[in-house]
Amino acid sequence: MISTRQPVYSHLVEAFGTVTITPVDPAADSALIHGWVTQERARFWGMGEASRELVQEIYEDVDRRTTHHAFIVSRDGEQVALFQTYDCAEDRVSECYEVRPGDVGVHLLIGPSKGAAEHGFTSSLLEAFLGYLFSVGKARRVIAEPDARNEKAIAVLARNGFAPGPEIELPEIDLPEVYLPAKKARLTIYDPRATAASA
């Protein structure tokens, strides 16, 4: 099945390529996402045992929400990442820090590489994501909360201007439509105003 969804943002990253952000089509994209989230390298995503049907159901639930969004990210036409955003005030992270107006939360899963690891790959995608969030998404700050054990993700965020904050424990969510176990995470915040003030 081919998605009929249209891109919401396109960004040319110098010496990298054109990054395009397109809303997830749960039916059309579930097989791709399932192939990514069930790999060992994606263990911190927390969906390693999920079936393709469950993956589709999860993203159908996300698709129905106005506060949470999921996107497939492409580089020069090749699908390379899964990008999710959420309104921090309407998410469990709001129980762990003082949310400000304009705080947008993000999750990023890089798809498996088809060749050797490419230096600066994730940073180039983050450049495009931040461009989207601060222009189309109208974010004022960007909040990430990677698993506290995911040292690689925490380091990448720090290299790209996210200020590391405290370790937090995201509370369990047990609802009919969604279950999320409690998780220890590292709060990190990207605030362009703070970055500009310290420059």
Side-chain angles (χ1 to χ4, degrees), residues 7-22 73-77 123-136:
V8 293
Y9 187 75
S10 185
H11 182 90
L12 176 62
V13 180
E14 187 175 351
F16 181 76
T18 299
V19 177
T20 304
I21 299 175
T22 305
V73 181
S74 299
R75 174 200 189 184
D76 293 336
S123 294
S124 295
L125 292 183
L126 280 170
E127 177 185 322
F129 297 160
L130 293 172
Y132 168 73
L133 290 168
F134 287 104
S135 58
V136 179

Side-chain angles (χ1 to χ4, degrees), residues 36-57:
W36 288 353
V37 302
T38 53
Q39 294 192 4
E40 167 60 22
R41 59 187 298 280
R43 61 191 179 281
F44 294 120
W45 200 256
M47 295 173 66
E49 302 300 320
S51 66
R52 190 203 62 76
E53 291 76 18
L54 177 58
V55 168
Q56 180 170 331
E57 289 174 10

